[in-house]
Structure formats: structure tokens, C-alpha cells
Amino acid sequence: MEQYAFGIDIGGTTIKCGLFETTGQLVDKWEIPTRKENDGSYILEDIAETIAFKMERRKIDKTNVAGIGVGVPGPVLKDGTVVKCVNLGWDVINVAKELEKKTGLLVKVQNDANVAALGEMWQGGGKGYQNLVMVTLGTGVGGGIIIEGKVLGGADGAGGEIGHINMRQDETEYCGCKSKGCLEQYASATGVVHLAREELSANRLETVLKNDENLSAELIFNVAKAGDKLALLIADKTASYLGRGLAQIGCIVNPEIFVIGGGMAKAGDILLDAVKKHYSKNVFHAAANTEFAFAQLGNDAGMYGSVQLLLGDRV
């Protein structure tokens, strides 16, 4: 009977590795550097080596390992092929097949935001739900959509890219995706600063905020909690964009719960309460009962979700 599984979350700087029991218990976790030299050709070899080393150290036989789940920062096709993962230097590579060759273990691969959503569904803020949307608020806005316990990946692996829902037609600045007016231009940590600079240039409300290099989302929300009127306005405007964006998703997939994670989630209830308010104002009435919760697994969500991806209905 297989007892163990490996969860691998490949990031642009480090690769997070987890050894799990198939019950979902995390046994060990560690990191290795992401070597992007030579078009990322070392990455899968390094993963295979670190897994082999861990199995040797713990005296784990391959017959006791269900396989390896992998999350990668890019679109993934159903056969495990990753298409142009720029952050890793990859062009087109079938990660599942290549890593299976190197390890002799079953490998399943999915987008990192999607596996983070699976992780939160399995052991985190979305535990107990089978239909959820995870929203990651960091430098950008990431997303993962789970329907009936399965990732909604889409035809080209681009399902769940909620940060690129178009929210404004009058935007003049470009998003990182080369479009304009994307949700992440207003609801990410960098988006909050973008909105703040607009308001600081146009608004006459008294504020302790200054339009300088020290302006950050963390500062803006901390000042808002202290009652600063302009910071409160900026926080509510951010929540308005996010609430309206999620309302569009709610009308399409009608999730049971939105799970909010990422660095900006540390703002806490001042953000979440406002998002819920704007969501309720804009969503189709039949989808208005969606719950909201904060993510619980932090940076480990991708490892947990990679294992859930691998084990599927067995867990």
C-alpha cells in the first residue's frame, strides 16, 4: 500500500518540496534553489535528485510512493505539457513525462495558482467545500477555480486567470499582460499603490500618505485602520474593483466560497468586509450567498495542492 507522495511547488527563486503521507499529513518540507540557467534545463534534474536523496535518507522504497504532484508558474495542458513558462526559461516541455523518466514515479502537473486552490480546498481555508475560487493578492492577482473538487483549467490551461478580467476601458497604463484595465492593476499590492497615486494627485482629503517611494499597500491599509480618510477611500476603491470582479466570476461559476490569500490578505477584515459589501451589491441575486474566508496554508498551499492533484478522489 502506497504511504507517501511528494508535492513540488516550482517558483522563480526557490522550489518548495514536501513529503506527505497519503492521508494529507505533511511529514517533511524543504527548499532548493530554482536554477534557471541554460533555459531552465537543470530544474527537473534537481527535483529528481532531491526526491531521490530524501527517499534514500528516509529509506522509502518506490513501491511506497504514490507519485509526485507539481505546480508550475504557467499554463499547463492536460497531458502535463507546460507552454512557455517564461519565469523558468522554459519554452514547451512535457514536465510530467520528463520527470517520470528521471524518477520512475507517476507525475501530475498543474498551474501553481490552481494547485494552491486545491491545497486550500483540501487542508486550508476552503476545507469542506467542493466548489471554490481562490484569489491570491500579491504583486498581481492570481486565481484558481475548483468545480466539484476538480481544477477548471480550460482548453489551453489558462482558466482561472482572474487578474486579467477587464475592469476599466479608460486605463492608459499597460498591465504586465500587455492589455489595459485588468483587475490586477487595481486589486493587487501594486494596484493599490496605483490607485493611491491617482487619489493623491486628485483628492484634497487630509492624509498622512505621501506620493513617494515609501508608498505601499501595507502602509495604506495600516493608515486606513487608523482612520485616515484618504486611505479609507483608497481601501474601499480597491475593494470595489475586487468585489465587482468576483461578482462577475460568481455569476459564471457560482462557487460556495471565495478563499482570499496572498500578502495583501494580511490587511484582514478591513479589506474582506469591504469586498463582501461590493460583491453583494454587484452579483446576480442567485449567487449572493457565496461565503468568504482567508487562506490558511500560506506558502505551503502549492505543495498541499500538488499532492491533492496527484491523489484526487483517494483523499
Side-chain angles (χ1 to χ4, degrees), residues 4-55:
Y4 300 103
F6 287 93
I8 307 295
D9 184 11
I10 304 176
T13 304
T14 61
I15 299 169
K16 298 177 181 64
C17 309
L19 172 64
F20 290 76
E21 294 180 354
T22 52
T23 58
Q25 180 68 38
L26 178 62
V27 176
D28 191 7
K29 66 176 180 176
W30 67 100
E31 295 183 0
I32 60 173
T34 305
R35 294 200 292 159
K36 294 181 284 189
E37 304 88 3
N38 197 24
D39 296 326
S41 60
Y42 304 117
I43 293 173
L44 296 183
E45 190 66 43
D46 288 347
I47 292 171
E49 287 182 5
T50 195
I51 288 174
F53 177 76
K54 188 63 65 173
M55 289 173 63

Short mmCIF file of all heavy atoms in Angstrom, two decimals, residues 4-55:
data_model
loop_
_atom_site.label_atom_id
_atom_site.label_comp_id
_atom_site.label_asym_id
_atom_site.label_seq_id
_atom_site.Cartn_x
_atom_site.Cartn_y
_atom_site.Cartn_z
N TYR A 4 3.24 7.30 0.79
CA TYR A 4 3.81 8.65 0.67
C TYR A 4 3.53 9.26 -0.71
O TYR A 4 3.23 8.57 -1.68
CB TYR A 4 5.32 8.61 0.89
CG TYR A 4 5.73 8.10 2.25
CD1 TYR A 4 6.21 6.79 2.40
CD2 TYR A 4 5.64 8.91 3.37
CE1 TYR A 4 6.59 6.32 3.65
CE2 TYR A 4 6.02 8.45 4.62
CZ TYR A 4 6.49 7.15 4.76
OH TYR A 4 6.86 6.69 5.99
N ALA A 5 3.65 10.58 -0.76
CA ALA A 5 3.57 11.33 -2.02
C ALA A 5 4.41 12.59 -1.87
O ALA A 5 4.56 13.11 -0.75
CB ALA A 5 2.12 11.69 -2.34
N PHE A 6 4.92 13.08 -2.97
CA PHE A 6 5.71 14.31 -2.95
C PHE A 6 4.92 15.45 -3.60
O PHE A 6 4.29 15.27 -4.65
CB PHE A 6 7.02 14.12 -3.72
CG PHE A 6 8.03 13.26 -3.00
CD1 PHE A 6 8.09 11.90 -3.25
CD2 PHE A 6 8.90 13.82 -2.08
CE1 PHE A 6 9.01 11.10 -2.59
CE2 PHE A 6 9.83 13.03 -1.41
CZ PHE A 6 9.88 11.67 -1.66
N GLY A 7 4.95 16.61 -2.96
CA GLY A 7 4.34 17.81 -3.51
C GLY A 7 5.43 18.82 -3.83
O GLY A 7 6.22 19.18 -2.94
N ILE A 8 5.47 19.28 -5.06
CA ILE A 8 6.52 20.18 -5.52
C ILE A 8 5.90 21.46 -6.06
O ILE A 8 5.02 21.42 -6.94
CB ILE A 8 7.38 19.53 -6.64
CG1 ILE A 8 7.91 18.16 -6.19
CG2 ILE A 8 8.50 20.46 -7.06
CD1 ILE A 8 8.88 18.21 -5.04
N ASP A 9 6.34 22.60 -5.56
CA ASP A 9 5.84 23.90 -6.00
C ASP A 9 7.01 24.70 -6.56
O ASP A 9 7.86 25.19 -5.81
CB ASP A 9 5.20 24.63 -4.81
CG ASP A 9 4.56 25.95 -5.21
OD1 ASP A 9 4.43 26.22 -6.42
OD2 ASP A 9 4.19 26.73 -4.31
N ILE A 10 7.07 24.80 -7.89
CA ILE A 10 8.21 25.44 -8.55
C ILE A 10 7.97 26.95 -8.64
O ILE A 10 7.02 27.40 -9.29
CB ILE A 10 8.44 24.87 -9.96
CG1 ILE A 10 8.61 23.35 -9.90
CG2 ILE A 10 9.66 25.51 -10.60
CD1 ILE A 10 8.75 22.69 -11.27
N GLY A 11 8.83 27.71 -8.00
CA GLY A 11 8.77 29.17 -8.08
C GLY A 11 9.96 29.72 -8.84
O GLY A 11 10.90 28.98 -9.16
N GLY A 12 9.93 31.00 -9.10
CA GLY A 12 11.00 31.61 -9.87
C GLY A 12 12.32 31.70 -9.14
O GLY A 12 13.38 31.81 -9.75
N THR A 13 12.30 31.63 -7.80
CA THR A 13 13.51 31.73 -6.99
C THR A 13 13.84 30.41 -6.30
O THR A 13 14.99 29.98 -6.27
CB THR A 13 13.37 32.84 -5.93
OG1 THR A 13 13.04 34.07 -6.58
CG2 THR A 13 14.65 33.01 -5.14
N THR A 14 12.81 29.80 -5.71
CA THR A 14 13.02 28.53 -5.00
C THR A 14 11.97 27.50 -5.41
O THR A 14 10.90 27.85 -5.92
CB THR A 14 12.94 28.71 -3.47
OG1 THR A 14 11.64 29.20 -3.12
CG2 THR A 14 14.01 29.66 -2.98
N ILE A 15 12.29 26.24 -5.17
CA ILE A 15 11.37 25.14 -5.38
C ILE A 15 11.02 24.58 -4.01
O ILE A 15 11.89 24.11 -3.28
CB ILE A 15 12.00 24.04 -6.25
CG1 ILE A 15 12.38 24.61 -7.63
CG2 ILE A 15 11.04 22.86 -6.42
CD1 ILE A 15 13.25 23.68 -8.46
N LYS A 16 9.74 24.67 -3.64
CA LYS A 16 9.29 24.16 -2.35
C LYS A 16 8.92 22.69 -2.50
O LYS A 16 8.15 22.33 -3.39
CB LYS A 16 8.10 24.97 -1.85
CG LYS A 16 8.40 26.44 -1.63
CD LYS A 16 7.17 27.21 -1.21
CE LYS A 16 7.49 28.69 -1.00
NZ LYS A 16 7.91 29.34 -2.28
N CYS A 17 9.47 21.87 -1.63
CA CYS A 17 9.29 20.42 -1.73
C CYS A 17 8.66 19.90 -0.44
O CYS A 17 9.08 20.29 0.66
CB CYS A 17 10.63 19.73 -1.94
SG CYS A 17 11.62 20.40 -3.30
N GLY A 18 7.70 19.02 -0.56
CA GLY A 18 7.06 18.44 0.61
C GLY A 18 6.91 16.93 0.48
O GLY A 18 6.56 16.43 -0.60
N LEU A 19 7.21 16.23 1.54
CA LEU A 19 6.94 14.80 1.63
C LEU A 19 5.71 14.62 2.50
O LEU A 19 5.68 15.08 3.64
CB LEU A 19 8.13 14.05 2.25
CG LEU A 19 7.90 12.56 2.57
CD1 LEU A 19 7.65 11.76 1.30
CD2 LEU A 19 9.09 11.99 3.35
N PHE A 20 4.69 13.97 1.94
CA PHE A 20 3.40 13.81 2.61
C PHE A 20 3.07 12.34 2.80
O PHE A 20 3.47 11.49 1.98
CB PHE A 20 2.27 14.44 1.79
CG PHE A 20 2.28 15.93 1.72
CD1 PHE A 20 3.18 16.60 0.90
CD2 PHE A 20 1.38 16.69 2.46
CE1 PHE A 20 3.18 17.98 0.82
CE2 PHE A 20 1.36 18.06 2.39
CZ PHE A 20 2.27 18.72 1.57
N GLU A 21 2.33 12.05 3.85
CA GLU A 21 1.62 10.78 3.89
C GLU A 21 0.40 10.92 3.01
O GLU A 21 -0.12 12.03 2.81
CB GLU A 21 1.21 10.45 5.33
CG GLU A 21 2.38 10.18 6.25
CD GLU A 21 1.94 9.86 7.67
OE1 GLU A 21 0.73 9.96 7.97
OE2 GLU A 21 2.81 9.53 8.49
N THR A 22 -0.10 9.84 2.47
CA THR A 22 -1.24 9.92 1.56
C THR A 22 -2.53 10.31 2.28
O THR A 22 -3.55 10.58 1.64
CB THR A 22 -1.45 8.59 0.81
OG1 THR A 22 -1.50 7.51 1.76
CG2 THR A 22 -0.33 8.34 -0.18
N THR A 23 -2.48 10.39 3.60
CA THR A 23 -3.62 10.88 4.37
C THR A 23 -3.71 12.41 4.35
O THR A 23 -4.71 12.99 4.76
CB THR A 23 -3.50 10.44 5.84
OG1 THR A 23 -2.26 10.93 6.37
CG2 THR A 23 -3.54 8.94 5.96
N GLY A 24 -2.63 13.07 3.87
CA GLY A 24 -2.59 14.52 3.86
C GLY A 24 -1.67 15.12 4.90
O GLY A 24 -1.51 16.34 4.97
N GLN A 25 -1.06 14.30 5.72
CA GLN A 25 -0.16 14.78 6.76
C GLN A 25 1.20 15.14 6.15
O GLN A 25 1.83 14.32 5.48
CB GLN A 25 0.03 13.70 7.84
CG GLN A 25 0.95 14.10 8.98
CD GLN A 25 0.36 15.19 9.85
OE1 GLN A 25 -0.85 15.20 10.10
NE2 GLN A 25 1.18 16.12 10.29
N LEU A 26 1.65 16.38 6.40
CA LEU A 26 2.97 16.80 5.93
C LEU A 26 4.04 16.21 6.85
O LEU A 26 4.03 16.43 8.06
CB LEU A 26 3.05 18.33 5.94
CG LEU A 26 4.39 18.94 5.52
CD1 LEU A 26 4.74 18.58 4.09
CD2 LEU A 26 4.35 20.47 5.69
N VAL A 27 4.94 15.44 6.26
CA VAL A 27 5.99 14.76 7.03
C VAL A 27 7.27 15.60 7.09
O VAL A 27 7.92 15.72 8.12
CB VAL A 27 6.31 13.39 6.40
CG1 VAL A 27 7.46 12.70 7.13
CG2 VAL A 27 5.06 12.51 6.40
N ASP A 28 7.61 16.22 5.96
CA ASP A 28 8.86 16.98 5.87
C ASP A 28 8.72 18.00 4.75
O ASP A 28 8.03 17.75 3.76
CB ASP A 28 10.03 16.03 5.60
CG ASP A 28 11.39 16.68 5.77
OD1 ASP A 28 11.45 17.84 6.22
OD2 ASP A 28 12.40 16.02 5.44
N LYS A 29 9.37 19.14 4.90
CA LYS A 29 9.40 20.11 3.81
C LYS A 29 10.77 20.78 3.76
O LYS A 29 11.43 20.94 4.79
CB LYS A 29 8.28 21.15 3.95
CG LYS A 29 8.39 22.09 5.13
CD LYS A 29 7.27 23.12 5.08
CE LYS A 29 7.36 24.09 6.27
NZ LYS A 29 6.34 25.15 6.19
N TRP A 30 11.14 21.17 2.55
CA TRP A 30 12.44 21.80 2.35
C TRP A 30 12.40 22.58 1.04
O TRP A 30 11.44 22.50 0.28
CB TRP A 30 13.56 20.75 2.35
CG TRP A 30 13.54 19.80 1.19
CD1 TRP A 30 14.31 19.84 0.07
CD2 TRP A 30 12.70 18.64 1.03
NE1 TRP A 30 14.01 18.80 -0.77
CE2 TRP A 30 13.04 18.04 -0.21
CE3 TRP A 30 11.71 18.05 1.82
CZ2 TRP A 30 12.40 16.89 -0.68
CZ3 TRP A 30 11.08 16.90 1.35
CH2 TRP A 30 11.43 16.34 0.13
N GLU A 31 13.44 23.33 0.77
CA GLU A 31 13.53 24.12 -0.46
C GLU A 31 14.86 23.89 -1.14
O GLU A 31 15.87 23.62 -0.48
CB GLU A 31 13.36 25.62 -0.17
CG GLU A 31 12.00 26.01 0.36
CD GLU A 31 11.87 27.52 0.55
OE1 GLU A 31 12.87 28.24 0.27
OE2 GLU A 31 10.81 27.97 0.98
N ILE A 32 14.85 24.01 -2.46
CA ILE A 32 16.08 24.03 -3.23
C ILE A 32 16.01 25.23 -4.17
O ILE A 32 14.92 25.70 -4.51
CB ILE A 32 16.30 22.72 -4.03
CG1 ILE A 32 15.15 22.50 -5.03
CG2 ILE A 32 16.45 21.54 -3.10
CD1 ILE A 32 15.36 21.31 -5.97
N PRO A 33 17.14 25.78 -4.58
CA PRO A 33 17.10 26.94 -5.49
C PRO A 33 16.61 26.56 -6.88
O PRO A 33 16.81 25.43 -7.34
CB PRO A 33 18.56 27.40 -5.54
CG PRO A 33 19.36 26.21 -5.13
CD PRO A 33 18.51 25.43 -4.18
N THR A 34 15.93 27.48 -7.51
CA THR A 34 15.48 27.28 -8.89
C THR A 34 16.60 27.74 -9.82
O THR A 34 16.86 28.93 -9.96
CB THR A 34 14.21 28.11 -9.18
OG1 THR A 34 13.20 27.79 -8.23
CG2 THR A 34 13.69 27.82 -10.58
N ARG A 35 17.25 26.78 -10.44
CA ARG A 35 18.36 27.13 -11.34
C ARG A 35 17.82 27.34 -12.75
O ARG A 35 17.50 26.38 -13.47
CB ARG A 35 19.42 26.02 -11.33
CG ARG A 35 20.12 25.87 -9.98
CD ARG A 35 21.43 25.15 -10.15
NE ARG A 35 21.26 23.76 -10.54
CZ ARG A 35 22.22 23.03 -11.14
NH1 ARG A 35 23.38 23.57 -11.46
NH2 ARG A 35 21.98 21.76 -11.44
N LYS A 36 17.72 28.61 -13.14
CA LYS A 36 17.11 28.95 -14.42
C LYS A 36 18.12 29.05 -15.56
O LYS A 36 17.74 29.34 -16.71
CB LYS A 36 16.33 30.26 -14.27
CG LYS A 36 15.15 30.13 -13.33
CD LYS A 36 14.37 31.43 -13.21
CE LYS A 36 15.11 32.42 -12.32
NZ LYS A 36 14.29 33.61 -12.01
N GLU A 37 19.39 28.81 -15.24
CA GLU A 37 20.41 28.88 -16.28
C GLU A 37 20.15 27.85 -17.38
O GLU A 37 19.52 26.84 -17.16
CB GLU A 37 21.81 28.62 -15.68
CG GLU A 37 22.19 29.55 -14.55
CD GLU A 37 21.72 29.04 -13.20
OE1 GLU A 37 21.15 27.93 -13.13
OE2 GLU A 37 21.93 29.76 -12.20
N ASN A 38 20.66 28.16 -18.55
CA ASN A 38 20.54 27.24 -19.68
C ASN A 38 19.08 26.88 -19.97
O ASN A 38 18.74 25.71 -20.15
CB ASN A 38 21.38 25.97 -19.43
CG ASN A 38 21.64 25.18 -20.70
OD1 ASN A 38 21.61 25.73 -21.80
ND2 ASN A 38 21.88 23.89 -20.55
N ASP A 39 18.23 27.91 -19.99
CA ASP A 39 16.79 27.77 -20.29
C ASP A 39 16.08 26.83 -19.31
O ASP A 39 15.16 26.09 -19.69
CB ASP A 39 16.58 27.28 -21.73
CG ASP A 39 17.07 28.28 -22.76
OD1 ASP A 39 16.97 29.50 -22.50
OD2 ASP A 39 17.57 27.84 -23.81
N GLY A 40 16.50 26.86 -18.06
CA GLY A 40 15.83 26.08 -17.03
C GLY A 40 16.03 24.58 -17.14
O GLY A 40 15.26 23.80 -16.57
N SER A 41 17.09 24.17 -17.85
CA SER A 41 17.29 22.74 -18.11
C SER A 41 17.69 21.95 -16.87
O SER A 41 17.62 20.71 -16.87
CB SER A 41 18.35 22.55 -19.20
OG SER A 41 19.59 23.10 -18.79
N TYR A 42 18.11 22.63 -15.80
CA TYR A 42 18.53 21.92 -14.58
C TYR A 42 17.37 21.65 -13.62
O TYR A 42 17.51 20.86 -12.69
CB TYR A 42 19.59 22.74 -13.84
CG TYR A 42 20.81 23.09 -14.65
CD1 TYR A 42 21.13 24.41 -14.92
CD2 TYR A 42 21.64 22.09 -15.15
CE1 TYR A 42 22.24 24.74 -15.67
CE2 TYR A 42 22.77 22.41 -15.91
CZ TYR A 42 23.06 23.75 -16.16
OH TYR A 42 24.17 24.06 -16.90
N ILE A 43 16.25 22.31 -13.82
CA ILE A 43 15.18 22.30 -12.81
C ILE A 43 14.65 20.90 -12.53
O ILE A 43 14.58 20.46 -11.37
CB ILE A 43 14.04 23.25 -13.23
CG1 ILE A 43 14.54 24.70 -13.21
CG2 ILE A 43 12.82 23.09 -12.32
CD1 ILE A 43 13.55 25.71 -13.78
N LEU A 44 14.26 20.18 -13.56
CA LEU A 44 13.69 18.85 -13.34
C LEU A 44 14.73 17.87 -12.82
O LEU A 44 14.41 16.99 -11.99
CB LEU A 44 13.05 18.34 -14.62
CG LEU A 44 11.85 19.15 -15.15
CD1 LEU A 44 11.26 18.48 -16.38
CD2 LEU A 44 10.79 19.32 -14.07
N GLU A 45 15.97 18.00 -13.27
CA GLU A 45 17.04 17.15 -12.76
C GLU A 45 17.26 17.40 -11.27
O GLU A 45 17.43 16.46 -10.48
CB GLU A 45 18.34 17.43 -13.52
CG GLU A 45 19.45 16.44 -13.23
CD GLU A 45 19.13 15.04 -13.70
OE1 GLU A 45 18.61 14.89 -14.83
OE2 GLU A 45 19.39 14.09 -12.93
N ASP A 46 17.22 18.66 -10.87
CA ASP A 46 17.40 19.00 -9.45
C ASP A 46 16.26 18.43 -8.60
O ASP A 46 16.48 17.95 -7.48
CB ASP A 46 17.47 20.51 -9.27
CG ASP A 46 18.78 21.10 -9.79
OD1 ASP A 46 19.72 20.34 -10.06
OD2 ASP A 46 18.84 22.35 -9.94
N ILE A 47 15.03 18.50 -9.15
CA ILE A 47 13.88 17.94 -8.42
C ILE A 47 14.03 16.43 -8.26
O ILE A 47 13.81 15.88 -7.18
CB ILE A 47 12.56 18.29 -9.14
CG1 ILE A 47 12.30 19.79 -9.07
CG2 ILE A 47 11.39 17.51 -8.53
CD1 ILE A 47 11.15 20.25 -9.93
N ALA A 48 14.41 15.76 -9.33
CA ALA A 48 14.59 14.31 -9.28
C ALA A 48 15.67 13.93 -8.27
O ALA A 48 15.51 12.97 -7.49
CB ALA A 48 14.96 13.78 -10.67
N GLU A 49 16.75 14.70 -8.24
CA GLU A 49 17.85 14.40 -7.32
C GLU A 49 17.44 14.62 -5.86
O GLU A 49 17.78 13.81 -4.99
CB GLU A 49 19.06 15.27 -7.66
CG GLU A 49 19.78 14.84 -8.92
CD GLU A 49 21.02 15.67 -9.21
OE1 GLU A 49 21.37 16.53 -8.36
OE2 GLU A 49 21.64 15.47 -10.26
N THR A 50 16.72 15.70 -5.59
CA THR A 50 16.34 15.97 -4.19
C THR A 50 15.32 14.94 -3.69
O THR A 50 15.35 14.55 -2.52
CB THR A 50 15.83 17.41 -4.02
OG1 THR A 50 15.82 17.73 -2.62
CG2 THR A 50 14.43 17.62 -4.58
N ILE A 51 14.44 14.47 -4.57
CA ILE A 51 13.48 13.42 -4.18
C ILE A 51 14.21 12.11 -3.92
O ILE A 51 13.94 11.42 -2.92
CB ILE A 51 12.40 13.26 -5.26
CG1 ILE A 51 11.45 14.47 -5.23
CG2 ILE A 51 11.62 11.96 -5.07
CD1 ILE A 51 10.43 14.49 -6.35
N ALA A 52 15.14 11.76 -4.81
CA ALA A 52 15.90 10.52 -4.62
C ALA A 52 16.70 10.57 -3.31
O ALA A 52 16.76 9.58 -2.57
CB ALA A 52 16.84 10.31 -5.80
N PHE A 53 17.28 11.72 -3.02
CA PHE A 53 18.05 11.88 -1.79
C PHE A 53 17.16 11.72 -0.56
O PHE A 53 17.51 11.03 0.41
CB PHE A 53 18.72 13.25 -1.78
CG PHE A 53 19.49 13.54 -0.51
CD1 PHE A 53 20.72 12.96 -0.28
CD2 PHE A 53 18.97 14.40 0.44
CE1 PHE A 53 21.43 13.22 0.89
CE2 PHE A 53 19.66 14.67 1.62
CZ PHE A 53 20.90 14.07 1.84
N LYS A 54 15.98 12.34 -0.60
CA LYS A 54 15.06 12.25 0.54
C LYS A 54 14.58 10.81 0.74
O LYS A 54 14.47 10.34 1.88
CB LYS A 54 13.87 13.18 0.31
CG LYS A 54 12.95 13.34 1.50
CD LYS A 54 13.63 13.97 2.70
CE LYS A 54 14.06 15.41 2.44
NZ LYS A 54 14.57 16.06 3.67
N MET A 55 14.29 10.13 -0.35
CA MET A 55 13.85 8.73 -0.24
C MET A 55 14.95 7.85 0.34
O MET A 55 14.70 6.97 1.16
CB MET A 55 13.40 8.21 -1.61
CG MET A 55 12.09 8.84 -2.09
SD MET A 55 11.68 8.37 -3.80
CE MET A 55 11.47 6.60 -3.64
#
